[in-house]
Amino acid sequence: SGTSSVGLSSSGVSHGSGWTATWYDIIQAGNDASDARLKTDVSEFENCYDNIFNKLKPVRFRYNVAPDNVRLGFIAQEVKETFEAEGINDFGAVYVGEGDDDYYRLLQEDFIALNTWQIQKLKKRIDELENKLAELET
């Protein structure tokens, strides 16, 4: 219903309904480059990521500009505080918009690795428990 408009500028894209995306958002949304040559300081997760994972609070919410749609995710400020509480002050998946946009944002794909790590740990623990159970049954 009604009309809709989209605007392009040197700072990003805006939509008549009230949302705005910076060029950084747009590039990141389509940026899935994962080549090892593009990375430095590569290391495995440390134990503090267990604490972070356990403290993350997934929430159900509605965006102010789209109240008819239920969404699932995190509150960026809470994620930032969770990482900082574990001494990680440079977590790049939480950032603030550029220019006049001071909204906190999350790069959701960074959580895929954290979830995968946790699933792998759980799978290993399940395998260990199943082996112990099999030994007890024999």
Side-chain angles (χ1 to χ4, degrees), residues 18-81:
W19 62 262
T20 302
T22 65
W23 288 115
Y24 180 77
D25 295 326
I26 295 165
I27 291 168
Q28 286 301 316
N31 185 5
D32 55 4
S34 191
D35 191 301
R37 296 171 295 176
L38 299 172
K39 301 174 182 180
T40 186
D41 295 330
V42 176
S43 63
E44 293 186 8
F45 287 138
E46 301 162 3
N47 289 336
C48 68
Y49 287 93
D50 273 327
N51 296 335
I52 290 168
F53 183 84
N54 292 332
K55 291 178 184 175
L56 288 175
K57 293 185 343 189
V59 294
R60 175 188 173 276
F61 63 93
R62 297 174 190 273
Y63 280 112
N64 296 337
V65 297
D68 294 337
N69 299 314
V70 171
R71 300 296 304 266
L72 307 175
F74 301 100
I75 304 298
Q77 290 90 332
E78 291 177 0
V79 171
K80 183 177 189 292
E81 290 170 8

Side-chain angles (χ1 to χ4, degrees), residues 58-131:
V59 294
R60 175 188 173 276
F61 63 93
R62 297 174 190 273
Y63 280 112
N64 296 337
V65 297
D68 294 337
N69 299 314
V70 171
R71 300 296 304 266
L72 307 175
F74 301 100
I75 304 298
Q77 290 90 332
E78 291 177 0
V79 171
K80 183 177 189 292
E81 290 170 8
T82 300
F83 274 82
E84 288 175 349
E86 292 297 324
I88 300 172
N89 299 313
D90 58 352
F91 183 55
V94 178
Y95 65 100
V96 179
E98 299 174 0
D100 294 336
D101 177 2
D102 64 349
Y103 293 118
Y104 279 75
R105 290 176 160 65
L106 291 176
L107 296 175
Q108 301 286 343
E109 62 270 13
D110 280 33
F111 295 93
I112 295 170
L114 182 59
N115 291 339
T116 300
W117 180 62
Q118 288 292 322
I119 292 167
Q120 289 170 337
K121 287 176 59 166
L122 289 171
K123 185 179 181 310
K124 181 180 177 186
R125 182 69 179 138
I126 289 167
D127 290 345
E128 290 169 356
L129 292 171
E130 286 177 343
N131 288 336

